[in-house]
Amino acid sequence: MRFTLRQKLGAVLIDWPRYEWNLRELALPGRPSGHWTRIANRDDELLAAPRGNGVDRVGRWTSRLHGCAVFPSLGRRLMRRSLAEWPIELSPELAGSETEEPDITFVIGHRGIDRIPHLLTTLRSIAAQSDARIECVVVEQSERAEAGALLPDWVRYLHTPPPVAALPYVRAWALNTGARLARGRLLVFHDGDMLMPRRYAAELLTAHGLGFEVINLKRFVFYLAEETKAALLDGVPAESGKLDAVVQNLQAGGSVAVDREAFFELGGFDEMFVGWGGEDDEFWDRARTRRLWPWGHLPCVHLWHRAQPEKVRRERSTAARLEDRLRVPAETRIRELSTRHFGIPAGPASSPSPSRMDSP
C-alpha cells in the first residue's frame, strides 16, 4: 500500500511513540510500564483481562494495525518481541504417549494438494506443544483422499467426500465432523496454516480450568509475506520474516477453543454456510451466550499462500448469509441448530433428519 505524506507524519507523531513505549516496556515513577499486547490503533479501546497481560479490543470485527502497515519495521519488531516471550517451535513427533487420554483435541479441516505443505508445518507446531496432552483430527473434504498418506502417524484422519462433486468446501461441516471424533474435553478449531506458541495448549487449559467455555487467546496474527514461504515450510524461524499485515481482534477465526459439551449445546458451526467465511463469526456470536474468555495475550503466525478464487467468490455469498443470520437472536439460532444432526460424514446438515442422528 502507498501512504500519503500526511498519513506518514501522523504515524510518526501519533503511532510510533506508543509503539516505542510498549515495545520497550518502559516504566516511569507513578506510571505503569507498557507491554507489547497493548499496542493498538490510535482510536481503539482496549479492555484488560482480569489476570495477566491479555486484552480485548472493543468492537466486533478484525482490524489491521495501521502503524505496522505504514512502517513495516514496526511490525517486524513487534513480531520479534512477542515471539521472544512466546516462542513457536516445530517438532516432527508428538510429545508424550499417543495412547494417553487427551485434554485437548485440535480439529483441522483441509482441502487441496497445494496446501499440504502448510498443513504439515502446522502439525509440527501442534506436535511441539508442551505441558498438555493433545491429539489432532484432520478432516479432508475432497473427492479424492490426498492428504491422509502424508500425515504423521499420530494424527487421526477422516476423509469425507462431498455428497455432490461440485459442492464448494464447507468449512463448518469439516469442523463439525472432526468434533464428533474428538476425545478431548476441550476442542481447538484450528486453521491448517497457523503456527502457535509452544505453550498455547497449556494456556488454553489454564483458562478452561477457570471455568471458561469459549477461549480466544490470540492477540496478534502476523501474516507472513510471500518471500517467507520456502523458509517457513522448511522450519526456519519466523522472527525475521517480512509481513503482509499484523491483525488484531481475530475472534473465532484462525484458532479458537471450545468446551466440548458447550460446543454441541451451542449447535456447532452452521453448515448452511457453504464456503469460507461467516461461519466463524456467526458461531462466535452464539458463543457469547456462554462463559467467554476474549482477552488475547499470545502471538501467532499465518503462513503465506495465494488467495483462492473460489474462496473470494464464496465469501461474498457467506457475508450476505451472516448478515441475515445475525438478525436472528442468538438463542433462537442455538435452538434451531442444536436440533440438526450436524457433523455427519455423509454430508452437511440442511434440515432436521432423525435418521442421521449421531450423538456426540
Side-chain angles (χ1 to χ4, degrees):
M1 295 180 61
R2 293 184 178 274
F3 295 93
T4 66
L5 178 59
R6 180 177 180 179
Q7 289 173 318
K8 291 179 180 179
L9 286 174
V12 168
L13 297 175
I14 301 174
D15 297 318
W16 198 297
R18 295 184 297 108
Y19 275 76
E20 290 295 340
W21 173 267
N22 289 295
L23 284 171
R24 295 173 184 250
E25 301 186 7
L26 302 172
L28 296 175
R31 293 188 61 183
S33 64
H35 193 269
W36 60 266
T37 56
R38 299 186 183 97
I39 289 174
N41 291 323
R42 64 190 69 167
D43 295 327
D44 286 340
E45 180 183 353
L46 300 180
L47 301 176
R51 52 182 290 177
N53 286 315
V55 297
D56 183 24
R57 171 181 170 271
V58 175
R60 179 184 293 274
W61 308 117
T62 296
S63 65
R64 297 188 176 199
L65 289 183
H66 176 70
C68 296
V70 179
F71 296 109
S73 63
L74 290 176
R76 292 193 293 271
R77 287 177 59 196
L78 175 57
M79 181 168 64
R80 287 195 297 268
R81 176 67 188 84
S82 60
L83 292 180
E85 184 172 339
W86 297 99
I88 291 173
E89 294 184 2
L90 303 177
S91 172
E93 301 293 338
L94 181 68
S97 171
E98 299 174 29
T99 62
E100 291 181 314
E101 193 70 18
D103 299 311
I104 293 181
T105 300
F106 283 79
V107 179
I108 300 177
H110 177 79
R111 175 182 283 190
I113 193 73
D114 60 320
R115 295 290 182 86
I116 287 178
H118 300 74
L119 174 62
L120 294 177
T121 303
T122 299
L123 292 174
R124 292 169 68 189
S125 169
I126 293 173
Q129 295 297 303
S130 62
D131 301 318
R133 295 175 299 182
I134 66 170
E135 68 169 358
C136 184
V137 174
V138 171
V139 179
E140 184 175 25
Q141 189 184 116
S142 58
E143 291 187 60
R144 298 185 306 276
E146 298 173 317
L150 303 174
L151 300 181
D153 293 340
W154 58 271
V155 174
R156 300 174 65 198
Y157 169 76
L158 176 65
H159 176 229
T160 56
V164 178
L167 183 70
Y169 179 68
V170 184
R171 181 175 180 268
W173 175 36
L175 297 181
N176 286 343
T177 306
R180 295 280 180 187
L181 294 180
R183 297 181 297 156
R185 54 193 171 92
L186 188 63
L187 309 179
V188 182
F189 298 102
H190 196 76
D191 286 355
D193 52 15
M194 193 77 75
L195 309 184
M196 308 302 291
R198 69 183 178 208
R199 283 196 51 78
Y200 176 51
E203 293 291 299
L204 289 174
L205 285 178
T206 297
H208 193 229
L210 294 173
F212 291 92
E213 298 171 302
V214 183
I215 307 161
N216 177 29
L217 299 184
K218 305 181 300 294
R219 177 64 189 113
F220 297 118
V221 180
F222 298 98
Y223 283 77
L224 299 179
E226 182 176 3
E227 296 91 326
T228 66
K229 179 180 178 181
L232 262 293
L233 295 183
D234 288 339
V236 177
E239 287 87 340
S240 60
K242 293 183 179 181
L243 298 172
D244 280 338
V246 181
V247 167
Q248 63 172 346
N249 206 41
L250 188 64
Q251 296 173 334
S255 187
V256 66
V258 188
D259 176 87
R260 190 176 191 277
E261 182 176 345
F263 176 74
F264 287 101
E265 290 175 354
L266 283 166
F269 289 94
D270 184 349
E271 295 178 6
M272 291 297 287
F273 281 88
V274 177
W276 290 267
E279 79 289 329
D280 48 5
D281 292 310
E282 191 280 330
F283 176 79
W284 185 259
D285 187 71
R286 281 183 283 128
R288 291 178 181 275
T289 64
R290 310 295 292 220
R291 195 167 182 211
L292 179 73
W293 180 280
W295 300 285
H297 68 280
L298 296 181
C300 50
V301 169
H302 179 275
L303 297 170
W304 182 87
H305 54 74
R306 289 184 177 86
Q308 293 177 296
E310 178 190 356
K311 178 177 180 179
V312 175
R313 289 193 299 270
R314 294 306 310 180
E315 280 180 336
R316 296 192 182 103
S317 63
T318 57
R321 176 167 177 78
L322 174 63
E323 186 176 345
D324 289 340
R325 293 298 285 164
L326 292 183
R327 294 192 186 101
V328 179
E331 292 77 7
T332 302
R333 283 178 276 134
I334 291 170
R335 288 195 298 270
E336 172 196 335
L337 292 169
S338 61
T339 65
R340 296 182 176 181
H341 310 302
F342 56 88
I344 309 304
S350 58
S351 61
S353 174
S355 65
R356 300 174 69 193
M357 174 80 72
D358 185 13
S359 59

